[in-house]
Amino acid sequence: MPGLAGPGPSRRGPHARLDRERAELGQAKDAARAISRESINDVRASDAMSISELAAALDVRPSTLRHWHAEGLVVPDRDPVRGTRRYTPAQVRDARIVHQLRKAGYRITPLRALMPQLRNARRSRDVDSVLAARDAGITTRSAALLDSASALHAVLSLRGRTD
């Protein structure tokens, strides 16, 4: 029957969106923790990646990396001969963290303030703090959604009694 196929991807309800956000946040937490603990002490100049290589590794477009550069999130070095962008292992790690946080719903402005902090020695603790704040935000939105559903139910119940 027409119309019984259920909601399509663009018509999912707010509970489904929050569930998806929570799952993505969990993945971002796992990935960001693992990435921030990686050792990058023994590196060589040949370990740097081009913008195309990094874009392919992250499965993003080079224009995304250029945007992150323009926003100051991940600022690559320049190849001294050709002037092209070259990402050191530390910059690759930063790009991976930005990528995971963007997937978890972080916007550019908060990341612009956060990334300099994450480059410091407190990296893992800061990542955990930021992700915990995002988790608290999702929990708050979930509770508000449930509260509003309960209030709507109460109003509709009262209306049913007066009809």
Side-chain angles (χ1 to χ4, degrees):
M1 296 179 115
L4 295 180
S10 64
R11 295 182 57 201
R12 289 189 181 135
H15 294 286
R17 283 192 299 275
L18 286 169
D19 184 57
R20 186 187 75 243
E21 285 183 44
R22 197 169 269 116
E24 290 171 350
L25 179 61
Q27 292 170 349
K29 284 179 179 180
D30 293 342
R33 284 185 194 122
I35 292 165
S36 64
R37 290 185 183 115
E38 292 174 352
S39 174
I40 55 170
N41 296 328
D42 186 25
V43 297
R44 301 173 302 274
S46 61
D47 292 333
M49 297 176 83
S50 70
I51 191 170
S52 298
E53 292 168 333
L54 183 54
L58 294 177
D59 195 27
V60 299
R61 291 183 287 188
S63 61
T64 298
L65 293 173
R66 286 187 206 98
H67 179 66
W68 293 352
H69 179 186
E71 294 291 340
L73 301 178
V74 182
V75 180
D77 294 340
R78 291 287 183 167
D79 181 284
V81 176
R82 296 183 293 171
T84 57
R85 289 174 174 87
R86 298 295 296 168
Y87 294 86
T88 66
Q91 294 158 344
V92 169
R93 181 180 58 196
D94 288 349
R96 291 172 63 203
I97 290 172
V98 168
H99 182 56
Q100 288 302 318
L101 293 174
R102 292 286 292 144
K103 285 173 58 174
Y106 282 88
R107 301 210 175 263
I108 295 293
T109 300
L111 284 175
R112 196 180 310 120
L114 175 69
M115 286 311 293
Q117 297 171 19
L118 295 182
R119 290 184 190 102
N120 294 334
R122 302 180 327 271
R123 183 178 214 101
S124 182
R125 187 178 67 227
D126 290 341
V127 170
D128 290 345
S129 173
V130 167
L131 293 172
R134 178 69 175 174
D135 200 6
I138 292 172
T139 299
T140 299
R141 289 172 37 223
S142 293
L145 189 60
L146 292 172
D147 288 346
S148 64
S150 177
L152 178 61
H153 175 65
V155 167
L156 293 175
S157 293
L158 287 174
R159 182 175 175 215
R161 289 185 201 149
T162 60
D163 285 344

